[in-house]
Amino acid sequence: MTEPDIARRKELAAAIAEVEERIAAACAAAGRARDEVRLIGITKTFPAADAALLTDLGLRNLGENRDQEAGPKAAEVAELRPDAAPRWHMVGRLQRNKARSVVRWADEVQSVDSARLADALGRAMAAARDAGERTEPLDVLIQVSLDGDTARGGTPLGEVRALADHITHVGELRLRGVMAVAPLGDDPGTAFARLAQAAESLRADYPEADVVSAGMSHDLDQAIRHGSTCVRVGTALLGRRGLASP
Ligand SMILES: *Cc1c(COP(=O)(O)O)cnc(C)c1O
């Protein structure tokens, strides 16, 4: 490794240790086991070299929010670290015409918020299977809008059940749970409590849909208190993104 690589690796190791400490403290405070919460490193806007270093440091799960950026990055990480095989999560808004591309790199899509998108992913998966690109179904989460402002993505709370029913009838998709981003200007705790309730009623009908993806750099502690099983952390691991970046 070059000197800058060594320095960056040290920086990332320290950041992981800090985030791990927060996760452990939040789990302990909530009376939960550490292994109930998965950490996804959100590598958007950061280079494949950083993602590769994260896998060196033990991160098994990586996430991205834009297909155009993620596809090439995932391929580059696979070249840099052929044995790492991280699990890639799509966490951003997804247009239906990107479905075919997304299933080439994503193991899980956390941002399914409409029946039409689910249908497009089902068709894309069928094509990927025919092309020999995939053998396993695609894991999906329903993105929930906790304040009903669906312009920022997500399906309203009242429509989660209907979308779940739809998804479980689409071939090639495996419904694994729910995902949400805390609304701007709302107390994250209140919002995450609403998500926990939605997750619980979903599990009553679909017991295997047990993932609750909630919590980012600034609110992962509250998310874990309210039952998150999956935190998506970018800034606290990799540093601040450029101003112009999403
Ligand atoms: C960018 C992003 C994250 C990570 O946000 P940070 O505040 O940098 O930790 C999590 N979830 C989604 C959907 C994102 O787009």
Side-chain angles (χ1 to χ4, degrees):
M1 276 201 282
T2 64
E3 247 171 68
D5 285 345
I6 292 168
R8 184 58 169 156
R9 187 189 153 102
K10 264 193 188 162
E11 211 168 76
L12 293 177
I16 290 177
E18 237 173 80
V19 168
E20 275 296 339
E21 208 167 295
R22 281 175 65 192
I23 294 174
C27 285
R32 303 180 59 199
R34 167 64 188 90
D35 67 4
E36 288 177 40
V37 180
R38 181 173 62 186
L39 169 61
I40 301 184
I42 303 294
T43 47
K44 65 187 183 197
T45 79
F46 288 93
D50 277 351
L53 286 172
L54 289 179
T55 67
D56 293 345
L57 293 163
L59 249 74
R60 314 294 325 144
N61 292 280
L62 299 175
E64 287 280 330
N65 73 334
R66 286 174 63 241
D67 171 69
Q68 304 91 299
E69 179 183 345
K73 195 182 294 182
E76 208 182 326
V77 172
E79 265 180 38
L80 290 169
R81 301 290 189 278
D83 298 327
R87 192 175 153 78
W88 286 97
H89 304 258
M90 171 60 170
V91 302
R93 291 207 85 176
L94 177 56
Q95 288 168 331
R96 279 174 292 143
N97 62 8
K98 296 283 165 49
R100 186 68 183 91
S101 174
V102 156
V103 303
R104 290 202 174 91
W105 61 268
D107 299 289
E108 176 170 309
V109 175
Q110 298 206 339
S111 46
V112 176
D113 61 0
S114 75
R116 283 170 12 133
L117 177 56
D119 290 341
L121 287 168
R123 282 193 300 274
M125 281 296 299
R129 189 182 283 274
D130 288 346
E133 293 167 5
R134 295 192 69 125
T135 52
E136 289 299 304
L138 179 70
D139 285 337
V140 301
L141 304 185
I142 293 176
Q143 184 178 350
V144 181
S145 166
L146 294 173
D147 60 357
D149 177 10
T150 53
R152 293 178 60 235
T155 200
L157 279 164
E159 289 169 29
V160 170
R161 173 62 200 266
L163 182 53
D165 292 345
H166 185 90
I167 288 171
T168 53
H169 288 93
V170 176
E172 310 283 350
L173 304 187
R174 197 156 47 195
L175 178 64
R176 291 308 322 273
V178 291
M179 179 271 249
V181 179
L184 295 167
D186 202 350
D187 169 50
T190 314
F192 292 142
R194 254 178 266 150
L195 181 67
Q197 214 163 35
E200 190 183 333
S201 48
L202 183 66
R203 274 198 308 276
D205 296 315
Y206 299 105
E208 70 285 7
D210 58 357
V211 175
V212 182
S213 175
M216 315 186 353
S217 292
H218 65 287
D219 58 15
L220 68 90
D221 321 83
Q222 281 139 301
I224 290 171
R225 186 179 320 145
H226 292 282
S228 170
T229 68
C230 174
V231 293
R232 310 177 306 269
V233 180
T235 310
L237 288 177
L238 292 142
R240 303 266 308 259
R241 292 180 289 273
L243 278 181
S245 306

PDB file of all heavy atoms in Angstrom, residues 42 44 65 91-92 179 181 215-218 232-236 241 246, ligand 1:
ATOM      1  N   ILE A  42     -22.283   3.389   3.672  1.00  0.00           N
ATOM      2  CA  ILE A  42     -22.808   4.053   2.472  1.00  0.00           C
ATOM      3  C   ILE A  42     -21.667   4.796   1.788  1.00  0.00           C
ATOM      4  O   ILE A  42     -21.196   5.819   2.285  1.00  0.00           O
ATOM      5  CB  ILE A  42     -23.958   5.016   2.830  1.00  0.00           C
ATOM      6  CG1 ILE A  42     -25.081   4.263   3.570  1.00  0.00           C
ATOM      7  CG2 ILE A  42     -24.495   5.697   1.556  1.00  0.00           C
ATOM      8  CD1 ILE A  42     -25.815   3.221   2.749  1.00  0.00           C
ATOM      9  N   LYS A  44     -21.485   6.242  -1.244  1.00  0.00           N
ATOM     10  CA  LYS A  44     -21.789   7.199  -2.327  1.00  0.00           C
ATOM     11  C   LYS A  44     -20.841   8.387  -2.298  1.00  0.00           C
ATOM     12  O   LYS A  44     -20.520   8.894  -1.225  1.00  0.00           O
ATOM     13  CB  LYS A  44     -23.240   7.678  -2.221  1.00  0.00           C
ATOM     14  CG  LYS A  44     -23.535   8.481  -0.962  1.00  0.00           C
ATOM     15  CD  LYS A  44     -25.023   8.776  -0.838  1.00  0.00           C
ATOM     16  CE  LYS A  44     -25.308   9.625   0.374  1.00  0.00           C
ATOM     17  NZ  LYS A  44     -26.720   9.611   0.764  1.00  0.00           N
ATOM     18  N   ASN A  65     -26.609   5.085  -3.492  1.00  0.00           N
ATOM     19  CA  ASN A  65     -27.942   5.635  -3.762  1.00  0.00           C
ATOM     20  C   ASN A  65     -28.187   5.977  -5.227  1.00  0.00           C
ATOM     21  O   ASN A  65     -29.264   6.432  -5.574  1.00  0.00           O
ATOM     22  CB  ASN A  65     -28.208   6.865  -2.882  1.00  0.00           C
ATOM     23  CG  ASN A  65     -27.416   8.075  -3.329  1.00  0.00           C
ATOM     24  OD1 ASN A  65     -26.356   7.925  -3.940  1.00  0.00           O
ATOM     25  ND2 ASN A  65     -27.914   9.257  -3.042  1.00  0.00           N
ATOM     26  N   VAL A  91     -29.982   2.026  -1.846  1.00  0.00           N
ATOM     27  CA  VAL A  91     -30.792   2.719  -0.837  1.00  0.00           C
ATOM     28  C   VAL A  91     -31.436   3.996  -1.361  1.00  0.00           C
ATOM     29  O   VAL A  91     -32.148   4.679  -0.636  1.00  0.00           O
ATOM     30  CB  VAL A  91     -29.961   3.039   0.436  1.00  0.00           C
ATOM     31  CG1 VAL A  91     -29.383   1.767   1.044  1.00  0.00           C
ATOM     32  CG2 VAL A  91     -28.859   4.049   0.154  1.00  0.00           C
ATOM     33  N   GLY A  92     -31.187   4.332  -2.631  1.00  0.00           N
ATOM     34  CA  GLY A  92     -31.692   5.602  -3.158  1.00  0.00           C
ATOM     35  C   GLY A  92     -32.901   5.429  -4.050  1.00  0.00           C
ATOM     36  O   GLY A  92     -33.298   4.311  -4.383  1.00  0.00           O
ATOM     37  N   MET A 179     -37.834   0.116   5.132  1.00  0.00           N
ATOM     38  CA  MET A 179     -36.747   1.098   5.257  1.00  0.00           C
ATOM     39  C   MET A 179     -37.357   2.489   5.327  1.00  0.00           C
ATOM     40  O   MET A 179     -38.423   2.729   4.760  1.00  0.00           O
ATOM     41  CB  MET A 179     -35.831   1.006   4.024  1.00  0.00           C
ATOM     42  CG  MET A 179     -34.675   1.981   4.028  1.00  0.00           C
ATOM     43  SD  MET A 179     -35.030   3.572   3.281  1.00  0.00           S
ATOM     44  CE  MET A 179     -34.030   3.490   1.820  1.00  0.00           C
ATOM     45  N   VAL A 181     -36.217   6.950   5.981  1.00  0.00           N
ATOM     46  CA  VAL A 181     -35.345   8.064   6.344  1.00  0.00           C
ATOM     47  C   VAL A 181     -36.180   8.959   7.245  1.00  0.00           C
ATOM     48  O   VAL A 181     -37.341   9.241   6.933  1.00  0.00           O
ATOM     49  CB  VAL A 181     -34.916   8.846   5.079  1.00  0.00           C
ATOM     50  CG1 VAL A 181     -34.031  10.023   5.447  1.00  0.00           C
ATOM     51  CG2 VAL A 181     -34.214   7.930   4.084  1.00  0.00           C
ATOM     52  N   GLY A 215     -31.878   4.728  10.452  1.00  0.00           N
ATOM     53  CA  GLY A 215     -30.740   5.293  11.154  1.00  0.00           C
ATOM     54  C   GLY A 215     -29.589   5.575  10.216  1.00  0.00           C
ATOM     55  O   GLY A 215     -29.195   4.718   9.423  1.00  0.00           O
ATOM     56  N   MET A 216     -29.099   6.818  10.281  1.00  0.00           N
ATOM     57  CA  MET A 216     -27.961   7.257   9.488  1.00  0.00           C
ATOM     58  C   MET A 216     -26.943   7.843  10.475  1.00  0.00           C
ATOM     59  O   MET A 216     -27.059   7.645  11.672  1.00  0.00           O
ATOM     60  CB  MET A 216     -28.411   8.291   8.448  1.00  0.00           C
ATOM     61  CG  MET A 216     -29.680   7.826   7.764  1.00  0.00           C
ATOM     62  SD  MET A 216     -30.373   8.744   6.364  1.00  0.00           S
ATOM     63  CE  MET A 216     -29.462  10.210   6.172  1.00  0.00           C
ATOM     64  N   SER A 217     -25.951   8.554   9.968  1.00  0.00           N
ATOM     65  CA  SER A 217     -24.878   9.028  10.853  1.00  0.00           C
ATOM     66  C   SER A 217     -25.395   9.782  12.070  1.00  0.00           C
ATOM     67  O   SER A 217     -24.916   9.593  13.179  1.00  0.00           O
ATOM     68  CB  SER A 217     -23.914   9.921  10.073  1.00  0.00           C
ATOM     69  OG  SER A 217     -23.198   9.159   9.122  1.00  0.00           O
ATOM     70  N   HIS A 218     -26.393  10.657  11.868  1.00  0.00           N
ATOM     71  CA  HIS A 218     -26.774  11.546  12.964  1.00  0.00           C
ATOM     72  C   HIS A 218     -27.887  10.981  13.852  1.00  0.00           C
ATOM     73  O   HIS A 218     -28.134  11.520  14.918  1.00  0.00           O
ATOM     74  CB  HIS A 218     -27.194  12.910  12.411  1.00  0.00           C
ATOM     75  CG  HIS A 218     -28.433  12.848  11.573  1.00  0.00           C
ATOM     76  ND1 HIS A 218     -28.436  12.316  10.306  1.00  0.00           N
ATOM     77  CD2 HIS A 218     -29.701  13.204  11.838  1.00  0.00           C
ATOM     78  CE1 HIS A 218     -29.663  12.372   9.816  1.00  0.00           C
ATOM     79  NE2 HIS A 218     -30.446  12.898  10.726  1.00  0.00           N
ATOM     80  N   ARG A 232     -27.631   2.669   8.170  1.00  0.00           N
ATOM     81  CA  ARG A 232     -26.963   3.017   6.912  1.00  0.00           C
ATOM     82  C   ARG A 232     -26.079   4.238   7.163  1.00  0.00           C
ATOM     83  O   ARG A 232     -26.586   5.341   7.305  1.00  0.00           O
ATOM     84  CB  ARG A 232     -28.012   3.340   5.848  1.00  0.00           C
ATOM     85  CG  ARG A 232     -29.120   2.282   5.720  1.00  0.00           C
ATOM     86  CD  ARG A 232     -30.141   2.726   4.687  1.00  0.00           C
ATOM     87  NE  ARG A 232     -30.682   4.044   4.953  1.00  0.00           N
ATOM     88  CZ  ARG A 232     -31.775   4.293   5.666  1.00  0.00           C
ATOM     89  NH1 ARG A 232     -32.487   3.309   6.167  1.00  0.00           N
ATOM     90  NH2 ARG A 232     -32.163   5.531   5.871  1.00  0.00           N
ATOM     91  N   VAL A 233     -24.766   4.021   7.236  1.00  0.00           N
ATOM     92  CA  VAL A 233     -23.891   5.090   7.712  1.00  0.00           C
ATOM     93  C   VAL A 233     -22.872   5.500   6.653  1.00  0.00           C
ATOM     94  O   VAL A 233     -22.074   4.673   6.194  1.00  0.00           O
ATOM     95  CB  VAL A 233     -23.172   4.650   9.009  1.00  0.00           C
ATOM     96  CG1 VAL A 233     -22.259   5.759   9.505  1.00  0.00           C
ATOM     97  CG2 VAL A 233     -24.200   4.265  10.081  1.00  0.00           C
ATOM     98  N   GLY A 234     -22.930   6.767   6.256  1.00  0.00           N
ATOM     99  CA  GLY A 234     -21.973   7.316   5.301  1.00  0.00           C
ATOM    100  C   GLY A 234     -20.984   8.239   5.979  1.00  0.00           C
ATOM    101  O   GLY A 234     -19.833   7.878   6.245  1.00  0.00           O
ATOM    102  N   THR A 235     -21.445   9.457   6.282  1.00  0.00           N
ATOM    103  CA  THR A 235     -20.578  10.515   6.804  1.00  0.00           C
ATOM    104  C   THR A 235     -19.730  10.084   8.002  1.00  0.00           C
ATOM    105  O   THR A 235     -18.535  10.384   8.053  1.00  0.00           O
ATOM    106  CB  THR A 235     -21.449  11.729   7.204  1.00  0.00           C
ATOM    107  OG1 THR A 235     -22.308  12.035   6.103  1.00  0.00           O
ATOM    108  CG2 THR A 235     -20.597  12.930   7.529  1.00  0.00           C
ATOM    109  N   ALA A 236     -20.318   9.406   8.969  1.00  0.00           N
ATOM    110  CA  ALA A 236     -19.579   9.047  10.188  1.00  0.00           C
ATOM    111  C   ALA A 236     -18.476   8.035   9.903  1.00  0.00           C
ATOM    112  O   ALA A 236     -17.551   7.883  10.698  1.00  0.00           O
ATOM    113  CB  ALA A 236     -20.534   8.512  11.260  1.00  0.00           C
ATOM    114  N   ARG A 241     -19.332  14.523   2.603  1.00  0.00           N
ATOM    115  CA  ARG A 241     -19.364  14.502   1.147  1.00  0.00           C
ATOM    116  C   ARG A 241     -19.245  15.935   0.624  1.00  0.00           C
ATOM    117  O   ARG A 241     -19.563  16.873   1.329  1.00  0.00           O
ATOM    118  CB  ARG A 241     -20.677  13.885   0.666  1.00  0.00           C
ATOM    119  CG  ARG A 241     -20.791  12.404   0.978  1.00  0.00           C
ATOM    120  CD  ARG A 241     -22.105  11.828   0.500  1.00  0.00           C
ATOM    121  NE  ARG A 241     -23.231  12.290   1.278  1.00  0.00           N
ATOM    122  CZ  ARG A 241     -23.672  11.706   2.409  1.00  0.00           C
ATOM    123  NH1 ARG A 241     -23.031  10.667   2.897  1.00  0.00           N
ATOM    124  NH2 ARG A 241     -24.704  12.183   3.051  1.00  0.00           N
ATOM    125  N   PRO A 246     -25.076  14.508  -3.419  1.00  0.00           N
ATOM    126  CA  PRO A 246     -26.318  14.180  -2.736  1.00  0.00           C
ATOM    127  C   PRO A 246     -26.081  13.700  -1.308  1.00  0.00           C
ATOM    128  O   PRO A 246     -25.044  13.174  -0.997  1.00  0.00           O
ATOM    129  CB  PRO A 246     -26.913  13.050  -3.571  1.00  0.00           C
ATOM    130  CG  PRO A 246     -25.817  12.523  -4.446  1.00  0.00           C
ATOM    131  CD  PRO A 246     -24.802  13.597  -4.548  1.00  0.00           C
TER     132      PRO A 246
HETATM  133  C1  LIG B   1     -26.641   9.027   2.053  1.00  0.00           C
HETATM  134  C2  LIG B   1     -27.622   8.117   2.678  1.00  0.00           C
HETATM  135  C3  LIG B   1     -27.379   7.551   3.947  1.00  0.00           C
HETATM  136  C4  LIG B   1     -26.148   7.876   4.770  1.00  0.00           C
HETATM  137  O1  LIG B   1     -26.247   9.165   5.267  1.00  0.00           O
HETATM  138  P1  LIG B   1     -25.159   9.776   6.285  1.00  0.00           P
HETATM  139  O2  LIG B   1     -25.869  10.881   6.934  1.00  0.00           O
HETATM  140  O3  LIG B   1     -24.016  10.217   5.449  1.00  0.00           O
HETATM  141  O4  LIG B   1     -24.779   8.694   7.225  1.00  0.00           O
HETATM  142  C5  LIG B   1     -28.333   6.687   4.451  1.00  0.00           C
HETATM  143  N1  LIG B   1     -29.461   6.388   3.781  1.00  0.00           N
HETATM  144  C6  LIG B   1     -29.726   6.905   2.566  1.00  0.00           C
HETATM  145  C7  LIG B   1     -30.993   6.536   1.884  1.00  0.00           C
HETATM  146  C8  LIG B   1     -28.821   7.787   1.983  1.00  0.00           C
HETATM  147  O5  LIG B   1     -29.094   8.319   0.788  1.00  0.00           O
END
